[in-house]
Coordinates of all heavy atoms in Angstrom, one line a residue:
Y1 N -32.5 19.5 -55.2 CA -32.1 20.8 -55.6 C -33.2 21.5 -56.4 O -33.7 20.9 -57.4 CB -30.8 20.8 -56.4 CG -30.4 22.0 -57.1 CD1 -29.2 22.7 -56.6 CD2 -31.0 22.6 -58.1 CE1 -28.7 23.8 -57.2 CE2 -30.6 23.8 -58.7 CZ -29.4 24.4 -58.3 OH -29.0 25.5 -58.9
G2 N -33.7 22.6 -55.9 CA -34.7 23.4 -56.6 C -34.0 24.6 -57.2 O -33.5 25.5 -56.5
G3 N -33.9 24.7 -58.5 CA -33.5 25.9 -59.2 C -34.7 26.8 -59.4 O -35.6 26.4 -60.2
L4 N -34.8 28.0 -58.8 CA -36.1 28.7 -58.7 C -36.0 30.1 -59.2 O -34.9 30.7 -59.2 CB -36.6 28.6 -57.3 CG -36.6 27.2 -56.7 CD1 -36.4 27.2 -55.2 CD2 -37.9 26.5 -57.1
M5 N -37.1 30.7 -59.5 CA -37.2 32.1 -59.9 C -38.4 32.8 -59.3 O -39.5 32.3 -59.4 CB -37.2 32.2 -61.4 CG -37.1 33.7 -61.9 SD -37.1 33.8 -63.7 CE -35.4 33.4 -64.1
V6 N -38.1 34.0 -58.7 CA -39.2 34.8 -58.2 C -39.7 35.7 -59.4 O -38.9 36.5 -59.9 CB -38.8 35.7 -57.1 CG1 -40.0 36.6 -56.6 CG2 -38.2 34.9 -55.9
T7 N -40.9 35.5 -59.9 CA -41.4 36.2 -61.1 C -42.6 37.1 -60.6 O -43.0 37.0 -59.5 CB -41.9 35.2 -62.2 OG1 -43.1 34.6 -61.8 CG2 -40.9 34.1 -62.4
E8 N -43.1 37.9 -61.5 CA -44.3 38.7 -61.2 C -45.5 37.8 -60.9 O -46.4 38.2 -60.3 CB -44.6 39.6 -62.4 CG -43.6 40.7 -62.6 CD -44.0 41.7 -63.7 OE1 -44.9 41.3 -64.5 OE2 -43.3 42.7 -63.9
D9 N -45.5 36.6 -61.4 CA -46.6 35.6 -61.2 C -46.3 34.6 -60.1 O -46.9 33.6 -60.0 CB -46.9 34.9 -62.5 CG -47.2 35.8 -63.6 OD1 -48.0 36.8 -63.4 OD2 -46.8 35.5 -64.8
G10 N -45.3 35.0 -59.2 CA -45.0 34.1 -58.1 C -43.7 33.3 -58.4 O -43.1 33.5 -59.4
I11 N -43.4 32.3 -57.5 CA -42.2 31.5 -57.6 C -42.4 30.4 -58.6 O -43.4 29.7 -58.5 CB -41.7 31.0 -56.3 CG1 -41.4 32.2 -55.3 CG2 -40.5 30.1 -56.4 CD1 -41.1 31.8 -53.9
K12 N -41.5 30.3 -59.6 CA -41.6 29.2 -60.6 C -40.3 28.4 -60.5 O -39.2 28.8 -60.1 CB -41.7 29.8 -62.0 CG -42.9 30.7 -62.2 CD -44.2 29.9 -62.4 CE -45.4 30.8 -62.7 NZ -45.4 31.3 -64.0
T13 N -40.5 27.1 -60.9 CA -39.4 26.2 -61.0 C -38.7 26.2 -62.3 O -39.3 26.1 -63.4 CB -39.9 24.7 -60.8 OG1 -40.8 24.7 -59.7 CG2 -38.7 23.8 -60.5
I14 N -37.4 26.5 -62.3 CA -36.6 26.4 -63.5 C -36.1 25.0 -63.7 O -36.2 24.5 -64.9 CB -35.3 27.3 -63.4 CG1 -35.7 28.8 -63.1 CG2 -34.5 27.2 -64.6 CD1 -34.6 29.7 -62.7
E15 N -35.7 24.3 -62.7 CA -35.2 22.9 -62.8 C -35.1 22.3 -61.4 O -35.1 23.0 -60.4 CB -33.8 22.9 -63.5 CG -32.7 23.5 -62.7 CD -31.4 23.5 -63.3 OE1 -31.2 22.8 -64.3 OE2 -30.4 24.1 -62.7
F16 N -35.1 21.0 -61.5 CA -34.8 20.2 -60.3 C -33.5 19.4 -60.6 O -33.2 19.0 -61.7 CB -35.8 19.2 -59.9 CG -37.0 19.7 -59.3 CD1 -38.2 19.9 -60.0 CD2 -37.0 20.1 -57.9 CE1 -39.4 20.5 -59.4 CE2 -38.1 20.6 -57.3 CZ -39.3 20.8 -58.0
N17 N -32.6 19.3 -59.6 CA -31.5 18.4 -59.7 C -31.5 17.4 -58.5 O -32.2 17.6 -57.5 CB -30.2 19.2 -59.6 CG -29.9 20.1 -60.8 OD1 -30.3 19.7 -61.9 ND2 -29.3 21.2 -60.6
A18 N -30.9 16.2 -58.8 CA -30.9 15.1 -57.8 C -29.8 15.1 -56.9 O -29.5 14.0 -56.3 CB -31.0 13.8 -58.6
R19 N -29.1 16.2 -56.7 CA -27.9 16.2 -55.9 C -27.6 17.7 -55.4 O -28.3 18.6 -55.9 CB -26.6 15.7 -56.7 CG -26.6 16.1 -58.1 CD -26.2 17.5 -58.4 NE -26.4 17.9 -59.8 CZ -26.2 19.1 -60.2 NH1 -25.8 20.1 -59.4 NH2 -26.4 19.4 -61.5
F20 N -26.6 17.9 -54.6 CA -26.3 19.2 -54.1 C -25.8 20.0 -55.3 O -25.1 19.5 -56.2 CB -25.2 19.1 -53.1 CG -25.4 20.0 -51.9 CD1 -25.5 19.5 -50.6 CD2 -25.4 21.4 -52.1 CE1 -25.7 20.4 -49.5 CE2 -25.6 22.3 -51.0 CZ -25.7 21.7 -49.7
G21 N -26.0 21.3 -55.3 CA -25.5 22.2 -56.3 C -24.1 22.5 -56.1 O -23.5 22.3 -55.0
D22 N -23.4 22.8 -57.2 CA -22.0 23.2 -57.2 C -21.9 24.4 -58.1 O -22.1 24.3 -59.3 CB -21.2 22.0 -57.8 CG -19.7 22.3 -57.6 OD1 -19.3 23.4 -57.2 OD2 -18.9 21.4 -58.0
P23 N -21.7 25.6 -57.6 CA -21.0 26.0 -56.4 C -21.8 26.3 -55.2 O -21.2 26.9 -54.2 CB -20.2 27.2 -56.9 CG -21.2 27.9 -57.8 CD -22.0 26.8 -58.5
E24 N -23.1 25.9 -55.1 CA -23.8 26.2 -53.9 C -23.3 25.5 -52.7 O -23.3 26.0 -51.6 CB -25.3 25.9 -54.1 CG -26.0 26.8 -55.1 CD -26.1 26.2 -56.5 OE1 -25.2 25.4 -56.8 OE2 -26.9 26.7 -57.3
A25 N -22.9 24.2 -52.9 CA -22.4 23.4 -51.7 C -21.3 24.2 -50.9 O -21.3 24.1 -49.7 CB -21.9 22.1 -52.2
E26 N -20.4 24.8 -51.7 CA -19.3 25.4 -51.0 C -19.7 26.6 -50.1 O -19.0 26.8 -49.1 CB -18.3 25.9 -52.1 CG -17.6 24.8 -52.9 CD -18.4 24.4 -54.1 OE1 -19.6 24.4 -54.1 OE2 -17.7 24.0 -55.1
V27 N -20.7 27.4 -50.5 CA -21.1 28.5 -49.7 C -22.2 28.2 -48.7 O -22.3 28.9 -47.7 CB -21.6 29.7 -50.6 CG1 -20.4 30.2 -51.5 CG2 -22.8 29.3 -51.5
I28 N -22.9 27.1 -48.9 CA -24.0 26.7 -47.9 C -23.4 25.9 -46.8 O -23.6 26.3 -45.6 CB -25.1 25.9 -48.6 CG1 -25.9 26.8 -49.6 CG2 -26.0 25.3 -47.6 CD1 -26.9 26.1 -50.5
L29 N -22.6 24.9 -47.1 CA -22.1 24.0 -46.0 C -21.1 24.7 -45.1 O -21.0 24.3 -43.9 CB -21.6 22.7 -46.6 CG -22.6 21.8 -47.3 CD1 -21.9 20.6 -48.0 CD2 -23.6 21.3 -46.3
C30 N -20.4 25.7 -45.6 CA -19.4 26.3 -44.7 C -20.2 27.2 -43.6 O -19.6 27.6 -42.6 CB -18.4 27.2 -45.5 SG -19.1 28.7 -46.2
R31 N -21.5 27.4 -43.8 CA -22.3 28.2 -42.8 C -23.0 27.3 -41.8 O -23.6 27.8 -40.9 CB -23.3 29.0 -43.6 CG -22.7 30.1 -44.5 CD -23.8 31.0 -45.1 NE -24.6 31.6 -44.0 CZ -25.9 31.6 -43.9 NH1 -26.6 31.0 -44.9 NH2 -26.6 32.1 -42.9
L32 N -22.9 26.0 -42.0 CA -23.6 25.0 -41.1 C -22.8 24.8 -39.9 O -21.6 24.4 -39.9 CB -23.8 23.7 -41.8 CG -24.6 22.6 -41.1 CD1 -26.0 23.1 -40.8 CD2 -24.6 21.3 -41.8
E33 N -23.4 25.1 -38.7 CA -22.7 25.0 -37.4 C -23.0 23.7 -36.7 O -22.3 23.2 -35.9 CB -23.0 26.2 -36.5 CG -22.4 27.5 -37.0 CD -22.5 28.6 -36.1 OE1 -23.5 28.6 -35.3 OE2 -21.7 29.6 -36.1
S34 N -24.2 23.1 -37.1 CA -24.6 21.8 -36.5 C -23.9 20.6 -37.2 O -23.3 20.8 -38.2 CB -26.1 21.7 -36.4 OG -26.7 22.0 -37.7
D35 N -24.2 19.4 -36.7 CA -23.5 18.2 -37.2 C -24.1 17.8 -38.6 O -25.3 17.3 -38.6 CB -23.7 17.1 -36.2 CG -22.8 15.9 -36.4 OD1 -22.7 15.5 -37.6 OD2 -22.3 15.3 -35.5
F36 N -23.4 17.8 -39.6 CA -23.9 17.5 -41.0 C -24.2 16.0 -41.0 O -25.3 15.6 -41.6 CB -22.8 17.8 -42.0 CG -23.1 17.5 -43.4 CD1 -24.2 18.0 -44.0 CD2 -22.2 16.7 -44.2 CE1 -24.6 17.8 -45.3 CE2 -22.5 16.5 -45.5 CZ -23.7 17.0 -46.1
L37 N -23.4 15.1 -40.5 CA -23.7 13.7 -40.6 C -24.9 13.3 -39.8 O -25.7 12.5 -40.2 CB -22.5 12.9 -40.1 CG -21.2 12.9 -41.0 CD1 -20.2 11.9 -40.5 CD2 -21.6 12.5 -42.5
Q38 N -25.0 13.9 -38.6 CA -26.2 13.6 -37.8 C -27.5 14.1 -38.5 O -28.5 13.4 -38.4 CB -26.1 14.4 -36.4 CG -27.2 14.0 -35.4 CD -27.1 12.5 -35.1 OE1 -26.1 12.0 -34.6 NE2 -28.2 11.8 -35.4
A39 N -27.4 15.2 -39.2 CA -28.6 15.7 -39.9 C -29.0 14.7 -41.0 O -30.2 14.3 -41.2 CB -28.3 17.0 -40.6
I40 N -28.0 14.1 -41.7 CA -28.3 13.1 -42.8 C -28.9 11.9 -42.1 O -29.9 11.3 -42.6 CB -27.0 12.8 -43.6 CG1 -26.7 14.0 -44.5 CG2 -27.2 11.5 -44.4 CD1 -25.4 13.8 -45.2
L41 N -28.3 11.4 -41.0 CA -28.8 10.2 -40.4 C -30.2 10.4 -39.8 O -31.1 9.5 -39.9 CB -27.9 9.8 -39.2 CG -26.4 9.4 -39.6 CD1 -25.6 9.1 -38.4 CD2 -26.5 8.1 -40.5
D42 N -30.5 11.6 -39.3 CA -31.8 11.9 -38.8 C -32.8 11.8 -39.9 O -33.9 11.2 -39.8 CB -31.9 13.3 -38.2 CG -31.2 13.3 -36.8 OD1 -31.0 12.3 -36.2 OD2 -31.0 14.5 -36.3

C-alpha cells in the first residue's frame, strides 16, 4: 500500500503499509471484474 500525495514538487510518499487499505479494499475490489484469486496466483 502506498499512501501518496501530489505536491507542487511532485508525488511524495506519506506512508507504506504491508496490507490492503481499509476502507480502500471495499471500493477497489467491488470494481474488479476479472478473477481475484487467479490474479494472486499469477
Side-chain angles (χ1 to χ4, degrees):
Y1 172 112
L4 307 154
M5 182 180 283
V6 184
T7 75
E8 288 183 353
D9 300 321
I11 298 175
K12 300 284 182 78
T13 313
I14 300 169
E15 64 178 353
F16 284 104
N17 290 328
R19 39 71 192 179
F20 222 118
D22 188 356
E24 291 94 339
E26 293 90 323
V27 295
I28 292 172
L29 290 175
C30 70
R31 295 186 57 232
L32 182 65
E33 293 185 334
S34 50
D35 190 324
F36 181 54
L37 291 184
Q38 188 61 58
I40 289 175
L41 295 175
D42 285 346

